[in-house]
Amino acid sequence: MASSNRTLLQSSIVRKQIVAVTGLAMVGFLIAHLSGNFLIFAGPEAFNGYSKKLHDLGPILWVLRIGLIAALLGHVVLAIKLTGENHAARGGRYAVSNSRGDGGFCKKTMIYTGILILVFVALHLYDFTYRDKTGDPTIVEGVNGGLSLGLFGLVWNSFLQPWHSGLYILAMIILGFHLSHGIQSLFQSIGFFHDRYTPMVKKIGFALAILLAVGFISIPIYVNVVRTPHL
Amino acid sequence: MSKKINLTLKVWRQPDNRTSGRFEVYPAQDIDTDMSFLEMLDVVNDELEKEGKDPIAFDHDCREGICGMCGCVINGQAHGPDAATTVCQLHMRRFQDGMTLVIEPWRAKAFPIIKDLAVDRSAFDRVISAGGYISVRTGAAPDAHAVPVPKDSADQAMDAAACIGCGACVAACPNASAMLFVSAKVSQLALLPQGQPERDQRVVSMVSQMDSEGFGNCSNHYECEASCPKEISIKNIARMNRELTRAGVRS
């Protein structure tokens, strides 16, 4: 058989599998992230305590962060490259196009929802990771005697701004769209197909996408319903 | 009971791959609904020839749905509106009187247009040449049951081997990916004992050839499976993904 000078890593399939595995890693991160975020319902002490514990991990936190950044970069760079190749491969558009599969708004918009999520991640990191957690924006009016509530206060005040909550909720809906195709799709890419289990994987993937989106959205909704945190 | 219908055809006309193409509108008059789609095109071509015009070029051979030569996109669907049907087995009773049909060739960079609706699918042949075979000494045929094959494997290999290489999967894929075709060819051999000696090298070589032909990547839309006249399952694509990983791990 013809020997190939392309390495396996350059093959379309392996590059897609890297997108799939990095995607799976980020889904794992989202589950952990949301679980941590739910501590906001338990009040500032629990929430800030969780944040402090994470920071106290020191070098381990940075190992996790670098892993996550690498996964994100790999996912984004390869996905953009693969999408570019796909457009080039089309070679002329059909005058009439008529999907006969299960259609799929989410499938067709993966690259766009992905790019919007990337923009959100940048804004989100500035918002809650980079910004100072001791100053005025962390003081929730009429609570804690005008003292800073740290990260809890920052998140609470941010979500009290309607535009801020609105953008966050919109971003999470987009994330839900992205994951509703992404989670079930990654199993096919890594080669998992089973007559009995694949329909289950599809349902669970779809449900997990909705649960994650609804879970994240529940936080700004909670803040806006309660308005004054119970300490 | 057959009846006669009149249709309007918007057909892609393109003299060759170097010249840009465009749609031409032709009437298809008094079409018997018992005709196949290709017979309808034959009737239209007769009329075009009477008028001294160039007939529409389209690929066809057996006209029995098993050779894989025919194929065009009708109103945005590869092989037309019927599931699990090649365009030669599509019948005009499927259409209503007065309809307009937009007829286009397979559109993919890896399938350059030869003329009108005929495309060059030799990229598929090169993928097969890269590894879609087994190397055996010819001679007397071995006894049928000399090599045991599990029933399930035999069934799945047979299902994969139903692929006729028509290219509808590439035509229907939003990325013009050939994954369904290549995975069917990889699977039919990977599932059988005779395919084992070259199993790893085969998938690596065929995928590499597929990539260098300029087909797109699979993004799991599954339009291919829905358009396949032989109902090849996307489980073959998952198997090929697995086979490639296996080859990489073992090498």
Side-chain angles (χ1 to χ4, degrees), chain A residues 1 8 12 16-17 86 89-90 93-96 99-100 107 185 188 191 195, chain B residues 76 78 80 104 107 109 133 171 173 211 217-218 220-221 223 227 234 241-242:
Chain A
M1 289 180 196
L8 215 53
S12 59
K16 256 172 22 200
Q17 290 177 332
N86 292 344
R90 178 71 281 163
R93 294 182 75 85
Y94 288 108
V96 183
S99 170
R100 73 201 308 171
K107 293 175 184 173
S185 177
Q188 168 84 359
D195 289 332
Chain B
E104 302 175 71
R107 293 195 194 276
K109 203 183 92 192
Y133 53 80
C173 175
D211 288 345
N217 310 290
C218 179
N220 303 337
H221 281 58
E223 286 290 324
S227 301
I234 51 105
N241 291 337
R242 210 156 62 226

PDB file of all heavy atoms in Angstrom, chain A residues 1 8 12 16-17 86 89-90 93-96 99-100 107 185 188 191 195, chain B residues 76 78 80 104 107 109 133 171 173 211 217-218 220-221 223 227 234 241-242:
ATOM      1  N   MET A   1       0.843  -1.204   0.000  1.00  0.00           N
ATOM      2  CA  MET A   1       0.000   0.000   0.000  1.00  0.00           C
ATOM      3  C   MET A   1       0.873   1.247   0.000  1.00  0.00           C
ATOM      4  O   MET A   1       1.973   1.248   0.530  1.00  0.00           O
ATOM      5  CB  MET A   1      -0.877  -0.005   1.251  1.00  0.00           C
ATOM      6  CG  MET A   1      -1.945  -1.073   1.160  1.00  0.00           C
ATOM      7  SD  MET A   1      -2.987  -1.111   2.616  1.00  0.00           S
ATOM      8  CE  MET A   1      -3.738  -2.711   2.369  1.00  0.00           C
ATOM      9  N   LEU A   8       0.107  10.927  11.202  1.00  0.00           N
ATOM     10  CA  LEU A   8      -1.254  10.669  11.663  1.00  0.00           C
ATOM     11  C   LEU A   8      -1.888  11.932  12.251  1.00  0.00           C
ATOM     12  O   LEU A   8      -3.074  12.177  12.090  1.00  0.00           O
ATOM     13  CB  LEU A   8      -1.180   9.562  12.725  1.00  0.00           C
ATOM     14  CG  LEU A   8      -2.333   8.580  12.777  1.00  0.00           C
ATOM     15  CD1 LEU A   8      -2.579   7.969  11.416  1.00  0.00           C
ATOM     16  CD2 LEU A   8      -2.025   7.498  13.789  1.00  0.00           C
ATOM     17  N   SER A  12      -7.347  14.345   8.951  1.00  0.00           N
ATOM     18  CA  SER A  12      -8.595  15.034   9.284  1.00  0.00           C
ATOM     19  C   SER A  12      -9.230  14.391  10.514  1.00  0.00           C
ATOM     20  O   SER A  12      -9.775  15.078  11.373  1.00  0.00           O
ATOM     21  CB  SER A  12      -9.541  14.966   8.090  1.00  0.00           C
ATOM     22  OG  SER A  12      -9.811  13.617   7.754  1.00  0.00           O
ATOM     23  N   LYS A  16      -9.888  16.108  14.275  1.00  0.00           N
ATOM     24  CA  LYS A  16     -11.254  16.202  14.798  1.00  0.00           C
ATOM     25  C   LYS A  16     -11.358  15.552  16.165  1.00  0.00           C
ATOM     26  O   LYS A  16     -12.074  16.025  17.038  1.00  0.00           O
ATOM     27  CB  LYS A  16     -12.198  15.456  13.852  1.00  0.00           C
ATOM     28  CG  LYS A  16     -13.002  16.355  13.011  1.00  0.00           C
ATOM     29  CD  LYS A  16     -13.742  15.547  11.985  1.00  0.00           C
ATOM     30  CE  LYS A  16     -13.902  14.126  12.413  1.00  0.00           C
ATOM     31  NZ  LYS A  16     -14.187  13.231  11.296  1.00  0.00           N
ATOM     32  N   GLN A  17     -10.606  14.449  16.332  1.00  0.00           N
ATOM     33  CA  GLN A  17     -10.637  13.768  17.624  1.00  0.00           C
ATOM     34  C   GLN A  17     -10.027  14.646  18.709  1.00  0.00           C
ATOM     35  O   GLN A  17     -10.458  14.603  19.857  1.00  0.00           O
ATOM     36  CB  GLN A  17      -9.929  12.419  17.519  1.00  0.00           C
ATOM     37  CG  GLN A  17     -10.752  11.443  16.679  1.00  0.00           C
ATOM     38  CD  GLN A  17     -10.081  10.104  16.463  1.00  0.00           C
ATOM     39  OE1 GLN A  17      -8.857  10.013  16.470  1.00  0.00           O
ATOM     40  NE2 GLN A  17     -10.874   9.072  16.259  1.00  0.00           N
ATOM     41  N   ASN A  86     -13.402  22.832   5.278  1.00  0.00           N
ATOM     42  CA  ASN A  86     -14.722  22.369   4.847  1.00  0.00           C
ATOM     43  C   ASN A  86     -15.354  23.314   3.843  1.00  0.00           C
ATOM     44  O   ASN A  86     -15.993  22.875   2.889  1.00  0.00           O
ATOM     45  CB  ASN A  86     -15.639  22.195   6.061  1.00  0.00           C
ATOM     46  CG  ASN A  86     -15.203  21.046   6.944  1.00  0.00           C
ATOM     47  OD1 ASN A  86     -14.419  20.200   6.510  1.00  0.00           O
ATOM     48  ND2 ASN A  86     -15.673  21.017   8.169  1.00  0.00           N
ATOM     49  N   ALA A  89     -13.677  22.770   0.565  1.00  0.00           N
ATOM     50  CA  ALA A  89     -14.006  21.481  -0.060  1.00  0.00           C
ATOM     51  C   ALA A  89     -15.354  21.506  -0.782  1.00  0.00           C
ATOM     52  O   ALA A  89     -15.590  20.692  -1.663  1.00  0.00           O
ATOM     53  CB  ALA A  89     -14.012  20.375   0.987  1.00  0.00           C
ATOM     54  N   ARG A  90     -16.222  22.417  -0.380  1.00  0.00           N
ATOM     55  CA  ARG A  90     -17.572  22.464  -0.949  1.00  0.00           C
ATOM     56  C   ARG A  90     -17.521  22.687  -2.463  1.00  0.00           C
ATOM     57  O   ARG A  90     -18.222  22.024  -3.216  1.00  0.00           O
ATOM     58  CB  ARG A  90     -18.373  23.548  -0.229  1.00  0.00           C
ATOM     59  CG  ARG A  90     -19.786  23.792  -0.687  1.00  0.00           C
ATOM     60  CD  ARG A  90     -20.733  22.656  -0.317  1.00  0.00           C
ATOM     61  NE  ARG A  90     -20.608  21.542  -1.223  1.00  0.00           N
ATOM     62  CZ  ARG A  90     -21.040  20.322  -0.985  1.00  0.00           C
ATOM     63  NH1 ARG A  90     -21.586  20.045   0.159  1.00  0.00           N
ATOM     64  NH2 ARG A  90     -20.909  19.368  -1.868  1.00  0.00           N
ATOM     65  N   ARG A  93     -21.641  26.422  -4.483  1.00  0.00           N
ATOM     66  CA  ARG A  93     -22.849  26.208  -3.674  1.00  0.00           C
ATOM     67  C   ARG A  93     -23.968  25.671  -4.543  1.00  0.00           C
ATOM     68  O   ARG A  93     -24.020  25.925  -5.744  1.00  0.00           O
ATOM     69  CB  ARG A  93     -23.302  27.530  -3.053  1.00  0.00           C
ATOM     70  CG  ARG A  93     -22.331  28.093  -2.046  1.00  0.00           C
ATOM     71  CD  ARG A  93     -22.883  29.372  -1.463  1.00  0.00           C
ATOM     72  NE  ARG A  93     -23.956  29.094  -0.508  1.00  0.00           N
ATOM     73  CZ  ARG A  93     -23.745  28.809   0.776  1.00  0.00           C
ATOM     74  NH1 ARG A  93     -22.517  28.762   1.239  1.00  0.00           N
ATOM     75  NH2 ARG A  93     -24.752  28.583   1.584  1.00  0.00           N
ATOM     76  N   TYR A  94     -24.858  24.916  -3.919  1.00  0.00           N
ATOM     77  CA  TYR A  94     -26.052  24.469  -4.625  1.00  0.00           C
ATOM     78  C   TYR A  94     -27.032  25.632  -4.751  1.00  0.00           C
ATOM     79  O   TYR A  94     -27.145  26.445  -3.838  1.00  0.00           O
ATOM     80  CB  TYR A  94     -26.723  23.322  -3.858  1.00  0.00           C
ATOM     81  CG  TYR A  94     -25.957  22.017  -3.925  1.00  0.00           C
ATOM     82  CD1 TYR A  94     -25.286  21.520  -2.832  1.00  0.00           C
ATOM     83  CD2 TYR A  94     -25.910  21.303  -5.118  1.00  0.00           C
ATOM     84  CE1 TYR A  94     -24.576  20.332  -2.902  1.00  0.00           C
ATOM     85  CE2 TYR A  94     -25.209  20.116  -5.195  1.00  0.00           C
ATOM     86  CZ  TYR A  94     -24.545  19.630  -4.084  1.00  0.00           C
ATOM     87  OH  TYR A  94     -23.852  18.457  -4.162  1.00  0.00           O
ATOM     88  N   ALA A  95     -27.731  25.687  -5.893  1.00  0.00           N
ATOM     89  CA  ALA A  95     -28.753  26.716  -6.067  1.00  0.00           C
ATOM     90  C   ALA A  95     -29.914  26.439  -5.107  1.00  0.00           C
ATOM     91  O   ALA A  95     -30.511  27.349  -4.549  1.00  0.00           O
ATOM     92  CB  ALA A  95     -29.240  26.719  -7.509  1.00  0.00           C
ATOM     93  N   VAL A  96     -30.222  25.161  -4.943  1.00  0.00           N
ATOM     94  CA  VAL A  96     -31.267  24.761  -4.008  1.00  0.00           C
ATOM     95  C   VAL A  96     -30.613  23.814  -3.016  1.00  0.00           C
ATOM     96  O   VAL A  96     -29.908  22.893  -3.418  1.00  0.00           O
ATOM     97  CB  VAL A  96     -32.414  24.013  -4.724  1.00  0.00           C
ATOM     98  CG1 VAL A  96     -33.526  23.675  -3.744  1.00  0.00           C
ATOM     99  CG2 VAL A  96     -32.944  24.834  -5.884  1.00  0.00           C
ATOM    100  N   SER A  99     -32.149  20.038   3.141  1.00  0.00           N
ATOM    101  CA  SER A  99     -31.648  19.042   4.086  1.00  0.00           C
ATOM    102  C   SER A  99     -32.623  17.879   4.215  1.00  0.00           C
ATOM    103  O   SER A  99     -33.818  18.066   4.264  1.00  0.00           O
ATOM    104  CB  SER A  99     -31.445  19.706   5.450  1.00  0.00           C
ATOM    105  OG  SER A  99     -31.186  18.738   6.414  1.00  0.00           O
ATOM    106  N   ARG A 100     -32.103  16.660   4.213  1.00  0.00           N
ATOM    107  CA  ARG A 100     -32.976  15.514   4.432  1.00  0.00           C
ATOM    108  C   ARG A 100     -32.573  14.747   5.681  1.00  0.00           C
ATOM    109  O   ARG A 100     -33.168  13.747   6.012  1.00  0.00           O
ATOM    110  CB  ARG A 100     -32.988  14.604   3.216  1.00  0.00           C
ATOM    111  CG  ARG A 100     -31.712  13.812   3.040  1.00  0.00           C
ATOM    112  CD  ARG A 100     -31.542  13.337   1.639  1.00  0.00           C
ATOM    113  NE  ARG A 100     -32.707  12.621   1.149  1.00  0.00           N
ATOM    114  CZ  ARG A 100     -32.859  12.253  -0.129  1.00  0.00           C
ATOM    115  NH1 ARG A 100     -31.932  12.563  -0.998  1.00  0.00           N
ATOM    116  NH2 ARG A 100     -33.902  11.597  -0.519  1.00  0.00           N
ATOM    117  N   LYS A 107     -26.094  22.195  14.627  1.00  0.00           N
ATOM    118  CA  LYS A 107     -24.984  21.610  13.885  1.00  0.00           C
ATOM    119  C   LYS A 107     -24.361  22.626  12.948  1.00  0.00           C
ATOM    120  O   LYS A 107     -23.151  22.726  12.827  1.00  0.00           O
ATOM    121  CB  LYS A 107     -25.483  20.450  13.027  1.00  0.00           C
ATOM    122  CG  LYS A 107     -25.969  19.240  13.778  1.00  0.00           C
ATOM    123  CD  LYS A 107     -26.537  18.245  12.784  1.00  0.00           C
ATOM    124  CE  LYS A 107     -27.142  17.045  13.489  1.00  0.00           C
ATOM    125  NZ  LYS A 107     -27.823  16.170  12.537  1.00  0.00           N
ATOM    126  N   SER A 185     -21.906  14.670  19.699  1.00  0.00           N
ATOM    127  CA  SER A 185     -21.104  14.530  18.490  1.00  0.00           C
ATOM    128  C   SER A 185     -19.690  14.023  18.792  1.00  0.00           C
ATOM    129  O   SER A 185     -19.102  13.282  18.009  1.00  0.00           O
ATOM    130  CB  SER A 185     -21.052  15.887  17.789  1.00  0.00           C
ATOM    131  OG  SER A 185     -20.249  15.849  16.666  1.00  0.00           O
ATOM    132  N   GLN A 188     -19.130  10.236  18.595  1.00  0.00           N
ATOM    133  CA  GLN A 188     -18.986   9.704  17.234  1.00  0.00           C
ATOM    134  C   GLN A 188     -17.555   9.936  16.740  1.00  0.00           C
ATOM    135  O   GLN A 188     -16.941   9.059  16.131  1.00  0.00           O
ATOM    136  CB  GLN A 188     -20.000  10.393  16.310  1.00  0.00           C
ATOM    137  CG  GLN A 188     -19.786  10.149  14.823  1.00  0.00           C
ATOM    138  CD  GLN A 188     -20.405   8.853  14.318  1.00  0.00           C
ATOM    139  OE1 GLN A 188     -20.991   8.094  15.082  1.00  0.00           O
ATOM    140  NE2 GLN A 188     -20.268   8.590  13.035  1.00  0.00           N
ATOM    141  N   GLY A 191     -15.056   7.667  17.955  1.00  0.00           N
ATOM    142  CA  GLY A 191     -15.275   6.308  17.465  1.00  0.00           C
ATOM    143  C   GLY A 191     -16.233   5.489  18.295  1.00  0.00           C
ATOM    144  O   GLY A 191     -16.290   4.268  18.166  1.00  0.00           O
ATOM    145  N   ASP A 195     -25.322   0.352  18.908  1.00  0.00           N
ATOM    146  CA  ASP A 195     -26.744   0.374  18.575  1.00  0.00           C
ATOM    147  C   ASP A 195     -27.622   0.689  19.784  1.00  0.00           C
ATOM    148  O   ASP A 195     -28.616   1.384  19.670  1.00  0.00           O
ATOM    149  CB  ASP A 195     -27.166  -0.974  17.973  1.00  0.00           C
ATOM    150  CG  ASP A 195     -26.589  -1.144  16.572  1.00  0.00           C
ATOM    151  OD1 ASP A 195     -26.369  -0.109  15.907  1.00  0.00           O
ATOM    152  OD2 ASP A 195     -26.333  -2.284  16.148  1.00  0.00           O
TER     153      ASP A 195
ATOM    154  N   GLY B  76     -32.252  20.196  -4.600  1.00  0.00           N
ATOM    155  CA  GLY B  76     -31.430  20.252  -3.388  1.00  0.00           C
ATOM    156  C   GLY B  76     -31.212  18.925  -2.702  1.00  0.00           C
ATOM    157  O   GLY B  76     -30.657  18.892  -1.603  1.00  0.00           O
ATOM    158  N   ALA B  78     -29.641  14.949  -3.108  1.00  0.00           N
ATOM    159  CA  ALA B  78     -28.869  14.017  -3.923  1.00  0.00           C
ATOM    160  C   ALA B  78     -29.737  12.824  -4.290  1.00  0.00           C
ATOM    161  O   ALA B  78     -30.408  12.249  -3.433  1.00  0.00           O
ATOM    162  CB  ALA B  78     -27.633  13.560  -3.157  1.00  0.00           C
ATOM    163  N   GLY B  80     -32.479  12.914  -5.676  1.00  0.00           N
ATOM    164  CA  GLY B  80     -33.895  13.266  -5.627  1.00  0.00           C
ATOM    165  C   GLY B  80     -34.573  12.940  -4.318  1.00  0.00           C
ATOM    166  O   GLY B  80     -33.915  12.555  -3.347  1.00  0.00           O
ATOM    167  N   GLU B 104     -28.911  19.742 -10.586  1.00  0.00           N
ATOM    168  CA  GLU B 104     -27.512  20.185 -10.475  1.00  0.00           C
ATOM    169  C   GLU B 104     -26.594  18.973 -10.370  1.00  0.00           C
ATOM    170  O   GLU B 104     -27.014  17.899  -9.950  1.00  0.00           O
ATOM    171  CB  GLU B 104     -27.317  21.042  -9.210  1.00  0.00           C
ATOM    172  CG  GLU B 104     -28.197  22.270  -9.157  1.00  0.00           C
ATOM    173  CD  GLU B 104     -28.054  23.009  -7.833  1.00  0.00           C
ATOM    174  OE1 GLU B 104     -26.995  23.622  -7.617  1.00  0.00           O
ATOM    175  OE2 GLU B 104     -28.984  22.964  -7.019  1.00  0.00           O
ATOM    176  N   ARG B 107     -21.735  18.733  -6.244  1.00  0.00           N
ATOM    177  CA  ARG B 107     -20.796  19.857  -6.133  1.00  0.00           C
ATOM    178  C   ARG B 107     -19.782  19.575  -5.029  1.00  0.00           C
ATOM    179  O   ARG B 107     -20.130  19.518  -3.851  1.00  0.00           O
ATOM    180  CB  ARG B 107     -21.545  21.153  -5.837  1.00  0.00           C
ATOM    181  CG  ARG B 107     -22.424  21.617  -6.989  1.00  0.00           C
ATOM    182  CD  ARG B 107     -22.847  23.055  -6.801  1.00  0.00           C
ATOM    183  NE  ARG B 107     -23.933  23.431  -7.697  1.00  0.00           N
ATOM    184  CZ  ARG B 107     -23.734  23.831  -8.949  1.00  0.00           C
ATOM    185  NH1 ARG B 107     -22.500  23.911  -9.443  1.00  0.00           N
ATOM    186  NH2 ARG B 107     -24.761  24.166  -9.706  1.00  0.00           N
ATOM    187  N   LYS B 109     -15.226  20.056  -4.469  1.00  0.00           N
ATOM    188  CA  LYS B 109     -13.938  20.378  -5.090  1.00  0.00           C
ATOM    189  C   LYS B 109     -13.246  19.116  -5.589  1.00  0.00           C
ATOM    190  O   LYS B 109     -12.577  19.124  -6.622  1.00  0.00           O
ATOM    191  CB  LYS B 109     -13.048  21.119  -4.081  1.00  0.00           C
ATOM    192  CG  LYS B 109     -11.975  21.965  -4.745  1.00  0.00           C
ATOM    193  CD  LYS B 109     -11.084  22.609  -3.714  1.00  0.00           C
ATOM    194  CE  LYS B 109      -9.882  21.736  -3.428  1.00  0.00           C
ATOM    195  NZ  LYS B 109      -9.106  22.144  -2.260  1.00  0.00           N
ATOM    196  N   TYR B 133      -8.399  -2.930  -0.638  1.00  0.00           N
ATOM    197  CA  TYR B 133      -8.271  -4.266  -1.234  1.00  0.00           C
ATOM    198  C   TYR B 133      -7.576  -5.186  -0.232  1.00  0.00           C
ATOM    199  O   TYR B 133      -7.092  -4.725   0.810  1.00  0.00           O
ATOM    200  CB  TYR B 133      -7.443  -4.197  -2.521  1.00  0.00           C
ATOM    201  CG  TYR B 133      -6.104  -3.512  -2.323  1.00  0.00           C
ATOM    202  CD1 TYR B 133      -5.035  -4.207  -1.765  1.00  0.00           C
ATOM    203  CD2 TYR B 133      -5.925  -2.169  -2.646  1.00  0.00           C
ATOM    204  CE1 TYR B 133      -3.823  -3.588  -1.541  1.00  0.00           C
ATOM    205  CE2 TYR B 133      -4.712  -1.537  -2.423  1.00  0.00           C
ATOM    206  CZ  TYR B 133      -3.668  -2.245  -1.876  1.00  0.00           C
ATOM    207  OH  TYR B 133      -2.478  -1.626  -1.638  1.00  0.00           O
ATOM    208  N   ALA B 171     -21.897  14.588  -2.086  1.00  0.00           N
ATOM    209  CA  ALA B 171     -22.763  15.630  -2.634  1.00  0.00           C
ATOM    210  C   ALA B 171     -23.665  16.218  -1.563  1.00  0.00           C
ATOM    211  O   ALA B 171     -23.924  17.423  -1.549  1.00  0.00           O
ATOM    212  CB  ALA B 171     -23.611  15.062  -3.763  1.00  0.00           C
ATOM    213  N   CYS B 173     -23.170  16.124   1.803  1.00  0.00           N
ATOM    214  CA  CYS B 173     -22.469  16.629   2.985  1.00  0.00           C
ATOM    215  C   CYS B 173     -22.216  18.127   2.862  1.00  0.00           C
ATOM    216  O   CYS B 173     -21.721  18.582   1.839  1.00  0.00           O
ATOM    217  CB  CYS B 173     -21.126  15.908   3.156  1.00  0.00           C
ATOM    218  SG  CYS B 173     -20.140  16.580   4.506  1.00  0.00           S
ATOM    219  N   ASP B 211      -7.849  12.641   2.466  1.00  0.00           N
ATOM    220  CA  ASP B 211      -7.505  14.016   2.834  1.00  0.00           C
ATOM    221  C   ASP B 211      -6.833  14.746   1.685  1.00  0.00           C
ATOM    222  O   ASP B 211      -7.146  15.904   1.403  1.00  0.00           O
ATOM    223  CB  ASP B 211      -6.582  14.029   4.063  1.00  0.00           C
ATOM    224  CG  ASP B 211      -7.320  13.660   5.347  1.00  0.00           C
ATOM    225  OD1 ASP B 211      -8.564  13.668   5.332  1.00  0.00           O
ATOM    226  OD2 ASP B 211      -6.647  13.371   6.351  1.00  0.00           O
ATOM    227  N   ASN B 217     -13.969  17.656   6.056  1.00  0.00           N
ATOM    228  CA  ASN B 217     -13.950  16.852   7.276  1.00  0.00           C
ATOM    229  C   ASN B 217     -15.377  16.552   7.718  1.00  0.00           C
ATOM    230  O   ASN B 217     -16.292  17.310   7.435  1.00  0.00           O
ATOM    231  CB  ASN B 217     -13.245  17.622   8.385  1.00  0.00           C
ATOM    232  CG  ASN B 217     -11.906  18.156   7.936  1.00  0.00           C
ATOM    233  OD1 ASN B 217     -10.970  17.417   7.725  1.00  0.00           O
ATOM    234  ND2 ASN B 217     -11.827  19.472   7.743  1.00  0.00           N
ATOM    235  N   CYS B 218     -15.522  15.479   8.451  1.00  0.00           N
ATOM    236  CA  CYS B 218     -16.852  15.118   8.952  1.00  0.00           C
ATOM    237  C   CYS B 218     -17.195  16.000  10.140  1.00  0.00           C
ATOM    238  O   CYS B 218     -16.397  16.147  11.054  1.00  0.00           O
ATOM    239  CB  CYS B 218     -16.870  13.655   9.379  1.00  0.00           C
ATOM    240  SG  CYS B 218     -18.457  13.124  10.025  1.00  0.00           S
ATOM    241  N   ASN B 220     -20.330  15.492  11.596  1.00  0.00           N
ATOM    242  CA  ASN B 220     -21.435  14.742  12.194  1.00  0.00           C
ATOM    243  C   ASN B 220     -22.811  15.359  11.933  1.00  0.00           C
ATOM    244  O   ASN B 220     -23.632  15.461  12.837  1.00  0.00           O
ATOM    245  CB  ASN B 220     -21.197  14.557  13.701  1.00  0.00           C
ATOM    246  CG  ASN B 220     -19.879  13.858  13.986  1.00  0.00           C
ATOM    247  OD1 ASN B 220     -19.347  13.146  13.134  1.00  0.00           O
ATOM    248  ND2 ASN B 220     -19.341  14.056  15.169  1.00  0.00           N
ATOM    249  N   HIS B 221     -23.042  15.788  10.687  1.00  0.00           N
ATOM    250  CA  HIS B 221     -24.382  16.268  10.302  1.00  0.00           C
ATOM    251  C   HIS B 221     -25.284  15.100   9.916  1.00  0.00           C
ATOM    252  O   HIS B 221     -26.478  15.206   9.994  1.00  0.00           O
ATOM    253  CB  HIS B 221     -24.295  17.207   9.101  1.00  0.00           C
ATOM    254  CG  HIS B 221     -23.864  18.591   9.452  1.00  0.00           C
ATOM    255  ND1 HIS B 221     -22.679  18.861  10.072  1.00  0.00           N
ATOM    256  CD2 HIS B 221     -24.463  19.783   9.265  1.00  0.00           C
ATOM    257  CE1 HIS B 221     -22.581  20.170  10.261  1.00  0.00           C
ATOM    258  NE2 HIS B 221     -23.646  20.743   9.773  1.00  0.00           N
ATOM    259  N   GLU B 223     -26.037  14.042   6.978  1.00  0.00           N
ATOM    260  CA  GLU B 223     -26.765  14.208   5.709  1.00  0.00           C
ATOM    261  C   GLU B 223     -26.415  13.053   4.770  1.00  0.00           C
ATOM    262  O   GLU B 223     -27.214  12.645   3.937  1.00  0.00           O
ATOM    263  CB  GLU B 223     -26.388  15.533   5.039  1.00  0.00           C
ATOM    264  CG  GLU B 223     -26.978  16.763   5.680  1.00  0.00           C
ATOM    265  CD  GLU B 223     -28.481  16.890   5.477  1.00  0.00           C
ATOM    266  OE1 GLU B 223     -28.980  16.514   4.400  1.00  0.00           O
ATOM    267  OE2 GLU B 223     -29.155  17.352   6.407  1.00  0.00           O
ATOM    268  N   SER B 227     -28.949  10.526   2.731  1.00  0.00           N
ATOM    269  CA  SER B 227     -28.994  10.603   1.268  1.00  0.00           C
ATOM    270  C   SER B 227     -28.519   9.332   0.585  1.00  0.00           C
ATOM    271  O   SER B 227     -28.654   9.202  -0.628  1.00  0.00           O
ATOM    272  CB  SER B 227     -28.102  11.752   0.777  1.00  0.00           C
ATOM    273  OG  SER B 227     -28.531  12.956   1.336  1.00  0.00           O
ATOM    274  N   ILE B 234     -23.917   5.562   9.474  1.00  0.00           N
ATOM    275  CA  ILE B 234     -22.806   6.377   9.985  1.00  0.00           C
ATOM    276  C   ILE B 234     -22.047   5.641  11.080  1.00  0.00           C
ATOM    277  O   ILE B 234     -21.040   6.133  11.555  1.00  0.00           O
ATOM    278  CB  ILE B 234     -23.281   7.768  10.483  1.00  0.00           C
ATOM    279  CG1 ILE B 234     -24.447   7.641  11.463  1.00  0.00           C
ATOM    280  CG2 ILE B 234     -23.658   8.665   9.329  1.00  0.00           C
ATOM    281  CD1 ILE B 234     -24.089   7.867  12.884  1.00  0.00           C
ATOM    282  N   ASN B 241     -13.159   6.035  12.545  1.00  0.00           N
ATOM    283  CA  ASN B 241     -12.493   6.873  13.544  1.00  0.00           C
ATOM    284  C   ASN B 241     -11.743   5.997  14.542  1.00  0.00           C
ATOM    285  O   ASN B 241     -10.608   6.279  14.931  1.00  0.00           O
ATOM    286  CB  ASN B 241     -13.520   7.745  14.285  1.00  0.00           C
ATOM    287  CG  ASN B 241     -14.125   8.821  13.396  1.00  0.00           C
ATOM    288  OD1 ASN B 241     -13.523   9.213  12.400  1.00  0.00           O
ATOM    289  ND2 ASN B 241     -15.307   9.288  13.743  1.00  0.00           N
ATOM    290  N   ARG B 242     -12.416   4.921  14.951  1.00  0.00           N
ATOM    291  CA  ARG B 242     -11.835   3.988  15.913  1.00  0.00           C
ATOM    292  C   ARG B 242     -10.646   3.247  15.301  1.00  0.00           C
ATOM    293  O   ARG B 242      -9.603   3.074  15.918  1.00  0.00           O
ATOM    294  CB  ARG B 242     -12.941   2.975  16.259  1.00  0.00           C
ATOM    295  CG  ARG B 242     -12.891   2.382  17.608  1.00  0.00           C
ATOM    296  CD  ARG B 242     -14.289   1.916  18.013  1.00  0.00           C
ATOM    297  NE  ARG B 242     -14.849   0.884  17.157  1.00  0.00           N
ATOM    298  CZ  ARG B 242     -16.096   0.902  16.689  1.00  0.00           C
ATOM    299  NH1 ARG B 242     -16.887   1.922  16.940  1.00  0.00           N
ATOM    300  NH2 ARG B 242     -16.550  -0.081  15.944  1.00  0.00           N
TER     301      ARG B 242
END
